[in-house]
Amino acid sequence: MKTRLYIVIVSLYFCAVNYLFAQKPDTTYYSVVKGGAISGIQKTWRGNNEIHFFYSYNDRGRGDSLYEDIQTDAQGMILKSATYGVDYFKKPYHASFEVKGDSATAVTNEDVKAKLYKNEFYAGTQAPGSIELMMKAASSFPGNKIPLFAGDTFEVRMLHEMVVGTKDRPLSLLLAETYFGINFPPVFFWLDKDMNFFASVSEWFSTIQQGYESLNAALLEIQEKQALSYYTQQMLSLSEKIPEIFAINHVRVYDSENAKMMNDMTVVITDGKVTRLGSTAGILIPESTTVIDGNGKTLLPGLWDMHGHYAKEEGLFYLAGGVTHIRDMGNGNSILVTKDALRKNQMLGPDINYLSGFIDKAGPFQGPTGAIIHSLDEGISAVDEYAKNGYSQIKLYSSIEPSWVKPLAEEAHAKGMRVAGHIPSFMTAAQAVKDGYDEITHMNMVMLNFLGDTIDTRTPRRFSMVGDYAKNIDVNGKEANEFIQLLKQKKTTLDPTMNVFNGMFRVFPGDTDAAYKPIIGWMPADQRENIRVSSGFGSEAQRSNYTASFKNMLKMLKRLYDEGILIVSGTDGGEAIALEHELELYIEAGIPPLKTLQTATWNAAKDCKLQGSYGSIAVGREADMILVDGNPGQNISDIRRVEWVIKNNYRYSPKKLYGSIGWTYYY
């Protein structure tokens, strides 16, 4: 292991020296912008049929730092590439690609893929600017659609000519509307008049040519408007209005409030509301009513993801898994527009029923979005602004000064808002709860409570310390008992996001994430090859420690459940696929299936104080529900077998949703 690391370091050194001398005066510089601040750089320089990149950025102590050399043929197809540096988690990273004769080989760390070369484009380069190579190469293929070496296709559908900037400084650019795969949402890139990369922009992270950082918001607004037609058409083609009156009979209904199943029930829906609910034997259904046979199936309230950072492209995957509600835990200002559009059925996706206003202190490890503040006064103003805009909760992040927590929480509570989030650096979870936290976000923050208040949790140490030492925490010891009593006294909620830590602590290079293993067969064959992990948070040398620590995290979760702490299921990425595995992890912890289902239904609505409207199936409520083929109250994995979803008077077929992007489904 030490020898390999030495070789990588030496290679990086000589690579850096080569770049120092190879770089030309006409190098193009780009800024990586995060949360309105410059947090990295891309440098690009070109030669004859070759292009070179240096790409580096800081994302809360994480972030790639890579050199890339690429050689192409006259058509623009990559013949050879080499990438060296560190990956997102600062682990040594190397990748290469080379065409030799009629074969090609791609290497990513220890993962090697070799196959017959069929003039396919290698899309494994990391620098955002490398997208220009793919777009230029696609122009020589029919329909500007190019096959990719790793599988699937890339298509440049439109190049929109745009003039941006000011009257005194107009700038002519091309907005490239591109598509990866079959009918996936558009991905936008900005090019200059020579078809060279100019920018890739979003509310969280952008890479834009230096000197033009101020254009970020304008470019984003243009591409958001351009995307509307796709999402409008997606909604029209993949949804259907529910009948004026219909019934589901002989169905098993999940009583989420009491965590029990009611067998052989009939549910009648009229004008989008539940009008009758009772034993099938006791309900007479008019002959003209559309009747759905629910024999062997389970009707549940629509599921909640209590930890989302919602993006429009996630809508299809959420609905296909039965998720009809999101609690957004931090986003840009456009989330307000998206929230309204989802509720009005103008785009496909779950409703965003609860908004969290993200607040962090400015600095080298600041969060990627929301209100980035420099003082407590700015923090108080941010709380007030979020309250004015209808946010229900404040999410504090890792760089917040511990002394600011109590006054920020007091201001939020005075405005009728809850407080949740990361535990700020150099503070314990117990201190945060005493100072006003209503909810702890992420299970690692619970475990860190027992590791002291000297850890700089602004950095990835908030993960590595847990991976290394959480196995030693006595979940039944005195400290744990005192902490749990505090949570009970304060009625503190937990959003554990266990799937995130399963991916960090139990998935290593060469493994496949457990969330995807059950659904690999649904994916097109060429996409199945791309879900194996080539680099991750942990190394093989850490496997024993990390897996033992994760096992203890599960024990702590079960202890908290046993003590009556309200647990809500959230993903922090991965849509319904991650949520389904989140629930399976609760089962692994020892939480019974019927209680596990509560975390994504009743508990979620209760935590948001919306249990009077959502989270259960009851007479007078909106028909917000999913029909599952099976009984997840006995086998939680049946939650993946969703036949249909009803939300806001529209019905969705997961089979049709997945089919629109080339996936199959379980039936």
Side-chain angles (χ1 to χ4, degrees), residues 317-363:
F317 283 99
Y318 268 124
L319 285 183
V323 177
T324 60
H325 300 279
I326 292 284
R327 179 176 67 174
D328 192 273
M329 291 297 285
N331 233 310
N333 293 333
S334 69
I335 196 66
L336 294 167
V337 177
T338 301
K339 177 180 183 288
D340 187 56
L342 289 166
R343 184 60 188 169
K344 292 178 179 177
N345 297 315
Q346 294 171 345
M347 65 174 61
L348 187 120
D351 279 350
I352 302 172
N353 295 91
Y354 207 83
L355 286 174
S356 304
F358 189 102
I359 302 178
D360 199 16
K361 181 185 175 185

Side-chain angles (χ1 to χ4, degrees), residues 78 103 124 198 260 264 311 393 425 429 508 593:
I78 294 179
S103 65
F198 180 82
K260 67 179 184 179
D264 199 23
Q393 176 172 276
S425 192
F508 297 87

